[in-house]
Amino acid sequence: MDGPENAPVVVFSNSLGTTLHLWDAVLERLPRGLRILRYDMRGHGRSDVPDAPYTMGQLVGDAEAVCDTFDIKDALFVGLSVGGMIAQGLAVKRPDLIRAMVLSNTAAKIGNPDFWEDRINAIRASGMAAISDGVMQRWFGRDFYATPAISVWKAMFEAAPIEGYAGVCAAISGTDFYTPTSGLRIPTLGIAGTEDASTPADLVRETVDLIPGSQFALIRRTGHLPCVEKPDEFAAHLVDFLNATGHFA
């Protein structure tokens, strides 16, 4: 938790295979005067690694517990990939916690059970490094993939605990939020990358369109993690949304 007490709160929830440092470059570009909460989901970063599988209900409950620990109400919740699924679930379960949300590179349903089962089997058989090259190609656009900067993110991915990664894969596999998300009525911004092979732009748009009045932003020449590839543009969209929703002035 960073920032002054009693300031508007922004909660960040990161993606599968990353830590809370996913947001470092974006935070450097946000205006002062916000109270910012980041956390590592279970099985990732410095959080505990319970035995897999996990459920989306557990991941949503973890986010709820973190927010309650800091007595957070009426936050702007920014979730990327599985973090965006957590945002949807938490907004339905605890509307007092979230007044607006940003759904970045996510969907109400991601992949299918066979896809996630194959990925779990691959890392259990051969480790994280065995799939890291393929994941990097799905994560990043061609421009960023060709730079040395990718090595930091490849190392982060390969350092993820197998049990934790497999657990979150199982949670994503069992999640379909189309019906509950379509019942939400809160300000929502969707963000997508034109080269995202994990959650293509059309899939992100389809999800945010479930929520009346939602907005959509497309960041070109980026993949699944536009907050890493183009933090200036990502932060600009976030600040515009903060101002448009009256969350920060």
Side-chain angles (χ1 to χ4, degrees), residues 13 33 63 143 157 160 180 214 248:
S13 185
D143 295 344
F157 178 82
S214 61
F248 180 76

Side-chain angles (χ1 to χ4, degrees), residues 24-119:
D24 285 353
V26 171
L27 265 56
E28 295 171 358
R29 291 161 168 82
L30 296 182
R32 294 184 179 182
L34 291 167
R35 191 156 171 78
I36 294 172
L37 173 63
R38 294 177 291 166
Y39 70 98
D40 287 325
M41 75 181 75
R42 67 170 61 203
H44 286 66
R46 298 176 64 184
S47 288
D48 291 340
V49 187
D51 292 340
Y54 311 153
T55 67
M56 189 57 64
Q58 288 175 314
L59 300 184
V60 170
D62 292 342
E64 178 184 17
V66 170
C67 290
D68 282 342
T69 296
F70 289 95
D71 196 27
I72 288 173
K73 301 289 184 185
D74 296 322
L76 171 67
F77 199 103
V78 183
L80 191 149
S81 195
V82 65
M85 299 183 100
I86 291 169
Q88 295 168 66
L90 187 59
V92 171
K93 182 181 181 183
R94 290 287 305 275
D96 59 312
L97 297 183
I98 301 180
R99 68 176 300 270
M101 62 182 177
V102 175
L103 302 180
S104 176
N105 303 80
T106 190
K109 179 178 174 60
I110 300 176
N112 58 66
D114 288 344
F115 171 86
W116 293 112
E117 184 177 2
D118 288 347
R119 181 166 287 193

Side-chain angles (χ1 to χ4, degrees), residues 15 22 80-81 103-106 135-145 150 191-201 204 216-231 233-234:
S15 60
L22 175 70
L80 191 149
S81 195
L103 302 180
S104 176
N105 303 80
T106 190
V135 170
M136 294 302 105
Q137 292 177 37
R138 295 175 68 87
W139 272 8
F140 297 113
R142 288 165 292 178
D143 295 344
F144 192 86
Y145 183 78
I150 195 175
I191 298 177
T194 58
E195 298 179 22
D196 186 351
S198 295
T199 52
V204 180
F216 180 77
L218 186 63
I219 301 181
R220 300 194 177 279
R221 302 183 74 86
T222 63
H224 194 54
L225 307 179
C227 55
V228 172
E229 295 184 74
K230 293 193 175 180
E233 193 168 343
F234 190 97

Side-chain angles (χ1 to χ4, degrees), residues 140-163:
F140 297 113
R142 288 165 292 178
D143 295 344
F144 192 86
Y145 183 78
T147 70
I150 195 175
S151 61
V152 174
W153 303 97
K154 192 169 187 286
M156 178 184 286
F157 178 82
E158 292 180 357
I162 290 174
E163 195 71 13

